[in-house]
Amino acid sequence: MSIDRLNQGNSTRRLLLSAVACCAFLALTPAGSAAEENGALEGHLDWGQTYRITAPVAGKIEAIEVRPGEHVDQDTALFRLDTRRVEADLRAAQAAIERLQLELNEANREVEKAEDLYDQTLIALREVELARIQQATVAARLAEARAQRDRARADRDDATIRAPASGRITRIDVSPGQFVNPALAPAVLAVLGSGDSMRVRALVVPERIHSLSEGQEVTITIGEYEFSGTIDRIGWELVGKDEDQRYRVEAEFSPGDDAVLRPGQPARIELRTNS
């Protein structure tokens, strides 16, 4: 083999090694670094608030009023539980109240009668005290019955499970006829994502964290949509490993009613740095 061919082979190998090294460098470069150089952060869309809806009382699910993906307003009925036992407790409490109210009326009359007789020195003070004790006992039982009635009313109201906020139902994990008991295992009936405000979560390199501030105005781009927002949170701890450690940054915005957005969509935060 001639010296020229040997040198030519070495040059070819050096070019190949250089190309491989360049590709390796590009592969190891953190995602979004090019965007950061232009003052933008690449992130992903998420709900502004996520609610895990549980049943406050035990009962059988009688009806499911919504479907996954449906948008609901605050206080919209989502689930209805069977209320037959609650209604029975409520009727029993109301009957006890009516009976005890009659007993209390009679006890009040007995106290008035005893006090009148005592004033006439016809009975001893002990008789008056016994009448007052009976009056207090019946009054306490009446108060307890009223508390049971109020608790039954609250359970009846809680049997209709309503949306804690406006948003979109992302998941339903129960079926009609299923029994739920929060005292044993508080099952998640559904997950609701509040879309009144949404947020973009991104990561920023430590060198740029001091140029950001909470409340800073930003422009958020998601596909064909563009929104005005503000930086809502800046993390205090690094996440990631070794040289790729970064801080979490969250920007909040209001999408409005026309935009159809889903959590997980790629989003870009354009920073409006103060001059």
Side-chain angles (χ1 to χ4, degrees), residues 49-62:
Q49 184 76 31
T50 301
Y51 298 88
R52 298 184 180 275
I53 299 168
T54 60
V57 294
K60 183 176 69 174
I61 296 177
E62 188 174 67

Side-chain angles (χ1 to χ4, degrees), residues 1 5 12 34 44 76 94 105 112 144 151 155 197 207 214 257 260:
M1 179 181 295
R5 288 184 178 180
T12 302
H44 290 87
T76 298
Q94 188 61 44
N105 293 340
E112 291 178 2
E144 182 179 359
R151 183 166 57 248
D155 288 345
S197 65
E207 292 78 9
E214 294 183 359
D257 298 330
V260 181

Side-chain angles (χ1 to χ4, degrees), residues 26 43 81 88 99 120 131 139 158 167 200 228-229:
L26 291 175
L81 303 181
R99 176 176 54 82
Q120 299 178 41
D158 289 341
V200 177
S228 295

Side-chain angles (χ1 to χ4, degrees), residues 250-270:
E250 296 183 12
E252 189 177 36
F253 69 100
S254 296
D257 298 330
D258 298 332
V260 181
L261 304 176
R262 296 176 182 268
Q265 286 183 264
R268 170 173 290 193
I269 303 173
E270 298 284 347

Side-chain angles (χ1 to χ4, degrees), residues 90-106:
L90 185 57
R91 289 193 298 270
Q94 188 61 44
I97 289 173
E98 294 174 0
R99 176 176 54 82
L100 290 169
Q101 185 62 62
L102 294 175
E103 291 185 17
L104 182 60
N105 293 340
E106 180 62 24

Side-chain angles (χ1 to χ4, degrees), residues 7-17:
N7 292 334
Q8 185 177 2
N10 292 335
S11 299
T12 302
R13 283 193 294 273
R14 284 195 296 270
L15 289 173
L16 290 174
L17 291 174

Side-chain angles (χ1 to χ4, degrees), residues 156-207:
R156 182 183 60 184
D157 294 340
D158 289 341
T160 300
I161 302 168
R162 301 182 180 276
S166 61
R168 194 173 299 276
I169 299 296
T170 63
R171 193 175 78 232
I172 293 178
D173 292 336
V174 291
S175 303
Q178 183 175 339
F179 187 84
V180 293
N181 189 347
L184 299 178
V188 176
L189 308 186
V191 176
L192 182 145
S194 176
D196 291 342
S197 65
M198 300 189 77
R199 59 183 61 241
V200 177
R201 307 180 192 275
L203 298 174
V204 62
V205 293
E207 292 78 9

